[in-house]
Amino acid sequence: MDYQILETKERVLADNEAAAGLTRGMMQKSGALLVNLMGSPGAGKTSVLKRLIGLLGDRFRIGVMEADVDSDVDARAISAAGAKTIQLHTAGLCHMDADMTARGLEALGVHDLDLIFLENVGNLVCPAEFEIGADLRIMILSVPEGDDKPLKYPLMFTVSDVMLINKTDTSPIFDFDQALAAARAKALNPDIRVFPVSAKTGEGFDALALYLAEKTEERKQECASLS
Amino acid sequence: MDYQILETKERVLADNEAAAGLTRGMMQKSGALLVNLMGSPGAGKTSVLKRLIGLLGDRFRIGVMEADVDSDVDARAISAAGAKTIQLHTAGLCHMDADMTARGLEALGVHDLDLIFLENVGNLVCPAEFEIGADLRIMILSVPEGDDKPLKYPLMFTVSDVMLINKTDTSPIFDFDQALAAARAKALNPDIRVFPVSAKTGEGFDALALYLAEKTEERKQECASLS
């Protein structure tokens, strides 16, 4: 072979991993927890965030980076809910990468925050490939999407620490088997934590808020022990 | 400036457009109509196809290319519904491009078919950027996803010829304004045709099937006049 093959994608992912590593180190020192929130368009990312801000906003200083291809619909809703918010536009890109996230964190300012969410672009494929340096990866599968999604978009379920099954209030009208969805996700990722929730009714959010509060406190203590 | 800037994405899209042009010409000669069916994960692409095969399968020879990151869940369902089917795996890629589509068409075989659907990867972002050489682009927005999606994923609504508003049977429990969703899509793309449907109940499918039958007949006549 007398020519070079450039593995473009591998190079992109390697560069991305390096940038994610820098963010991970920066977050540890900052004492704030960074959560990458992912899911399909309409899975309920913004509604879930609004619930969590309501439940955790008195105890923790919450920041949100809203990543969208376009518009600021979500940023307005989140800002109104009381979190420090910035809108990131990906200019057509289907996911946030580590470098874009680092710039977002710089613009948001992390030192007066305890818990930071990146609401990723609505997409079950691309965000799973791009680590952003988050401490926790939470993905949302909503009941109307169907319980077969772990079979069809396996990487998202493999890389996530938490799966929320959202819109459980609509279970009576959709043919969605929660136990089957959870089993399919756990077959890919035995450690994944599953929380059934309804952002509409609030069902299931106490357990989720408790889990996030514990993680946020752990990060604070980890930071205190470093200094 | 003493260095070259490679506009990688522009080059990729230009190469893709060239491949799409070849497919477009090939389809015209074949006499079959190629439809690119797009939408979020769980929007109902496979269920819509099953309904259309039921309504149009007696009149037209239908072929389906099922594109998925992984699994063959959908291909089995579509094959059972009676269409000539192949499963395409994108190996992690978030969309089908024109070259992959051309290979899919070659594997499917187009000359004994009248109407061919590509069920694209579930994704509202990336498939909108990659023209595959289709005669018709149909996107599905389902009621549970929310009526704000044209604001947040504008390109998909801009490039599509048809928007299906699916799962209309669930309208009573979701806060989805059909007129508003249609107006938002038409603000981006005044020519977009909107069909409210329910793949579950069959509501609205007669009008959609009629529209597709007309397009398929037009293609047949166009082909006959060429030869």
Side-chain angles (χ1 to χ4, degrees), chain A residues 63 89 102 114 116 118:
Chain A
H89 278 167
D114 305 309
I116 302 171
L118 169 69

Side-chain angles (χ1 to χ4, degrees), chain A residues 7 14 33 35 37 43 68 84 87 131 153 164 177 193 204 220:
Chain A
E7 296 294 348
L33 191 81
V35 179
L37 184 62
D68 280 294
K84 187 177 179 187
Q87 175 74 54
E131 182 49 57
Y153 304 93
L164 306 185
D177 185 332
R193 294 281 299 256
K220 274 186 161 180

Side-chain angles (χ1 to χ4, degrees), chain B residues 135-180:
Chain B
D135 301 296
L136 209 57
R137 283 144 296 274
I138 302 183
M139 69 83 51
I140 307 182
L141 174 63
S142 64
V143 164
E145 292 173 67
D147 54 31
D148 60 348
K149 293 301 164 290
L151 303 176
K152 295 166 74 177
Y153 305 92
L155 187 63
M156 178 58 81
F157 297 84
T158 305
V159 303
S160 293
D161 303 293
V162 174
M163 167 167 75
L164 307 185
I165 299 180
N166 189 27
K167 309 193 189 179
T168 53
D169 58 289
T170 69
S171 294
I173 65 158
F174 288 101
D175 182 25
F176 186 101
D177 184 332
Q178 285 188 30
L180 184 59

Side-chain angles (χ1 to χ4, degrees), chain B residues 24-196:
Chain B
R24 241 175 254 123
M26 190 271 281
M27 291 310 300
Q28 276 183 327
K29 278 183 210 140
S30 80
L33 191 80
L34 177 60
V35 178
N36 185 1
L37 184 63
M38 299 172 282
S40 296
K45 295 180 288 301
T46 310
S47 310
V48 162
L49 276 180
K50 280 160 69 180
R51 281 271 172 201
L52 289 173
I53 292 165
L55 288 166
L56 295 168
D58 287 344
R59 184 165 166 195
F60 301 110
R61 298 165 299 174
I62 300 178
V64 176
M65 296 183 283
E66 280 294 334
D68 281 294
V69 175
D70 205 343
S71 100
D72 61 350
V73 178
D74 293 343
R76 271 181 278 147
I78 291 298
S79 182
K84 186 177 179 188
T85 310
I86 59 166
Q87 176 74 53
L88 310 173
H89 278 168
T90 65
L93 203 66
C94 51
H95 61 274
M96 285 289 290
D97 67 18
D99 194 48
M100 290 153 71
T101 304
R103 290 188 218 180
L105 289 167
E106 200 182 327
L108 182 70
V110 305
H111 289 288
D112 58 349
L113 294 171
D114 304 309
L115 175 58
I116 301 170
F117 293 95
L118 169 69
E119 183 182 331
N120 218 311
V121 180
N123 188 325
L124 270 195
V125 185
C126 318
E129 288 200 85
F130 286 82
E131 183 49 59
I132 58 148
D135 301 296
L136 209 57
R137 283 144 296 274
I138 302 183
M139 69 83 51
I140 307 182
L141 174 63
S142 64
V143 164
E145 292 173 67
D147 54 31
D148 60 348
K149 293 301 164 290
L151 303 176
K152 295 166 74 177
Y153 305 92
L155 187 63
M156 178 58 81
F157 297 84
T158 305
V159 303
S160 293
D161 303 293
V162 174
M163 167 167 75
L164 307 185
I165 299 180
N166 189 27
K167 309 193 189 179
T168 53
D169 58 289
T170 69
S171 294
I173 65 158
F174 288 101
D175 182 25
F176 186 101
D177 184 332
Q178 285 188 30
L180 184 59
R184 284 169 168 166
K186 281 175 194 276
L188 295 162
N189 176 0
D191 297 328
I192 199 167
R193 295 281 299 256
V194 180
F195 293 91

